[in-house]
Amino acid sequence: MTVMTPHAPGPLSTAPAYVLDDARLPAVTLAEPLDAPATEGLVRASIVVAGGRIAAILPYGTAPDPALPVHDMRGGQVWPCLVDMHTHLDKGHIWPRQPNPTGDFAGALSVVRLDRMAHWSAADIEARMEFGLRCAYAHGTRLVRTHLDSLPPHHDLSWDLFREMRARWAGRIELQAVALMPVEATRDPAYFEALLAQVVRSGGLIGGHPEMGPELDSDLDRLFGAAMEHGLDIDFHIDETRDPGAKTLAAVADAVLRHGFEGKVVAGHCCSLARQDGDEAARTIDKVARAGVGIVSLPMCNMYLQDRFAGLTPRWRGVTLFHELAAGGADVAVASDNTRDPFYAYGDLDAVEVFREAVRILHLDHPLDTAARVVTTAPAAMLGRPDIGRLKVGDPADLILFSARHWSELLSRPQADRIVLRDGRAIDRTLPDYRELDALLGARDG
Ligand SMILES: Nc1ccnc(=O)[nH]1
């Protein structure tokens, strides 16, 4: 019997070619449909890996070359490596140094600013980004988009560092970055020009959080104008509030249509949409779909920050109208958001955790048939990388092997025993030790 441990000698660590036999694959991640029956969206199949690539995907039972060594999955699921399309690597892991005393959004905003101004040198950000990326890699993620706080001086410092980190991580994690600032900050031409120069130099995206007010549309026009001039895609933080009066999502969709904007636009959060009445929400969803604005929900962070009042029990989950958006024709996905910082006290850039929690918080279950798309093909498409997060013959064998066979098995445990293959080889999944950050964050006894 094959022993399912990552470091056992065997085909996953040594053989130039082998078979992952008797696996279950999420059909929604298959680039080409397999002629085999699916149960709850899972297809039984065997994958031939050769030269670090997927050489064949065969219906289970159609025996491949009998000479090849076999890793018997015994019915366990095999997924492509994952996509985490909305993170904040620059903030990650500051919690021990800068907790959020209220645990709410206003508290997070104000204390993050204090920490940023006091501590965010290049060395500080680099150490925390590196730590976060090591976690994401060990968990099986291959593509990460991060927002970077981009108010001075970090519009320079963080972006210079980002280019370095992207080069260092090339081949392990593909990195994308988005400028995060209040959209009204673009009214300062000297700042905005300098920021745009950095974003263009870095192959990044422009974004930020628009706010309601008389200048909302003109602020958006300035941002879209710059994006069109420089050929940039856009990724916003939108309406992260319980206030139903926050309607910048509709304004963003209007701006896309008004400008005939042809780049990709993503809107993260969109919490207040779920607090508006049905007709109003439906009108906005229709606009979002027509404008082709992709929506990313951040369920763990939203449930943590939204509807938090001291001494009171939360009454809503904080998430956007995920199902209604999907039914209305909008692209939808989920992602991590913050990790161990004032916006979210927990998290480890584990897209499998994000998937599990998203299923529970957003009711992505029953049926679960296509749910796996929300951390694979859907975010990959929104990020302009449809070559990642899918199972396709000829692609690198970047795969996650689960012992779990069915959805109830996959979603009931944290899948800490998963095996991650990169280019067909099992990687070392050891997570970095928090103690590595002690010197940076001020070690605390007690
Ligand atoms: N949810 C968030 C909003 C703004 N900034 C963050 O880091 N996170």
Side-chain angles (χ1 to χ4, degrees):
M1 191 181 79
T2 312
V3 180
M4 300 280 282
T5 61
H7 308 302
L12 303 184
S13 50
T14 53
Y18 58 85
V19 183
L20 296 171
D21 201 27
D22 187 12
R24 282 187 171 79
L25 318 180
V28 75
T29 66
L30 285 167
E32 281 128 30
L34 199 64
D35 188 15
T39 305
E40 287 191 285
L42 298 168
V43 185
R44 280 187 91 172
S46 298
I47 298 179
V48 181
V49 174
R53 293 188 173 267
I54 298 175
I57 303 175
L58 306 164
Y60 176 57
T62 54
D65 182 349
L68 288 178
V70 166
H71 179 85
D72 187 357
M73 289 298 300
R74 294 181 294 148
Q77 295 188 31
V78 175
W79 287 40
C81 280
L82 303 171
V83 179
D84 204 343
M85 70 171 284
H86 182 126
T87 69
H88 292 268
L89 292 173
D90 57 344
K91 286 193 186 86
H93 302 284
I94 65 175
W95 181 272
R97 180 171 78 194
Q98 187 56 77
N100 179 348
T102 57
D104 64 10
F105 186 81
L109 263 189
S110 62
V111 299
V112 159
R113 188 177 163 278
L114 296 178
D115 192 76
R116 187 170 65 232
M117 298 319 283
H119 298 293
W120 289 23
S121 62
D124 178 71
I125 304 169
E126 177 184 353
R128 293 182 292 93
M129 275 181 103
E130 181 75 21
F131 192 95
L133 288 166
R134 284 165 64 198
C135 299
Y137 181 72
H139 289 307
T141 291
R142 192 177 148 198
L143 170 59
V144 172
R145 177 177 284 180
T146 183
H147 295 257
L148 295 174
D149 279 23
S150 293
L151 286 175
H154 296 97
H155 65 317
D156 275 329
L157 198 149
S158 295
W159 282 87
D160 288 345
L161 175 64
F162 166 73
R163 291 193 300 278
E164 230 182 276
M165 299 296 285
R166 183 177 52 193
R168 186 188 304 168
W169 276 83
R172 290 179 291 164
I173 291 182
E174 310 287 325
L175 274 173
Q176 299 182 352
V178 188
L180 174 57
M181 71 290 161
V183 171
E184 66 183 40
T186 62
R187 294 175 203 166
D188 174 346
Y191 160 73
F192 192 35
E193 284 304 315
L195 174 63
L196 281 170
Q198 274 288 20
V199 170
V200 169
R201 184 178 310 138
S202 310
L205 291 89
I206 195 83
H209 45 97
E211 301 299 332
M212 296 301 287
E215 296 191 55
L216 170 61
D217 288 339
S218 58
D219 285 343
L220 289 174
D221 285 344
R222 190 179 312 106
L223 198 97
F224 275 85
M228 288 167 84
E229 185 184 334
H230 297 285
L232 302 173
D233 291 336
I234 306 179
D235 192 335
F236 288 114
H237 278 66
I238 293 290
D239 301 336
E240 192 178 357
T241 169
R242 70 199 295 274
D243 174 6
K247 302 173 184 176
T248 73
L249 178 59
V252 163
D254 282 335
V256 172
L257 298 168
R258 180 164 72 242
H259 289 270
F261 185 70
E262 289 183 350
K264 289 195 164 59
V265 179
V266 170
H269 298 291
C270 309
C271 307
S272 68
L273 185 67
R275 310 266 304 162
Q276 293 162 3
D277 74 47
D279 285 350
E280 181 169 31
R283 279 194 301 277
T284 299
I285 289 168
D286 177 57
K287 257 186 220 180
V288 164
R290 277 191 288 122
V293 175
I295 304 291
V296 59
S297 180
L298 297 311
M300 298 183 340
C301 184
N302 291 159
M303 196 159 81
Y304 175 82
L305 285 177
Q306 298 300 313
D307 212 17
R308 183 187 285 269
F309 300 97
L312 299 182
T313 304
R315 291 173 183 239
W316 76 297
R317 298 178 184 204
V319 286
T320 192
L321 296 182
F322 198 83
H323 293 281
E324 293 82 343
L325 283 156
D331 297 328
V332 292
V334 301
S336 284
D337 210 11
N338 298 74
T339 43
R340 296 182 75 231
D341 72 31
F343 285 92
Y344 185 55
Y346 317 112
D348 203 31
L349 292 183
D350 178 0
V352 174
E353 179 193 16
V354 173
F355 177 69
R356 184 176 65 248
E357 294 305 307
V359 166
R360 294 170 186 189
I361 297 167
L362 289 162
H363 289 181
L364 301 182
D365 42 7
H366 319 316
L368 276 152
D369 296 37
T370 64
R373 77 189 189 287
V374 300
V375 287
T376 56
T377 51
M382 282 194 229
L383 268 47
R385 291 299 305 268
D387 57 312
I388 294 180
R390 67 179 183 185
L391 297 173
K392 185 170 191 294
V393 172
D395 281 0
D398 293 339
L399 304 170
I400 307 180
L401 279 44
F402 297 104
S403 63
R405 296 163 299 171
H406 305 286
W407 292 115
S408 73
E409 293 176 0
L410 188 95
L411 290 161
S412 299
R413 288 182 178 169
Q415 302 308 323
D417 62 347
R418 81 193 78 155
I419 296 171
V420 174
L421 304 183
R422 296 302 304 268
D423 298 314
R425 293 272 172 268
I427 64 164
D428 180 358
R429 288 197 59 245
T430 310
L431 290 164
D433 190 324
Y434 291 127
R435 290 167 190 77
E436 292 180 28
L437 295 173
D438 282 354
L440 205 64
L441 302 175
R444 292 197 303 187
D445 289 327

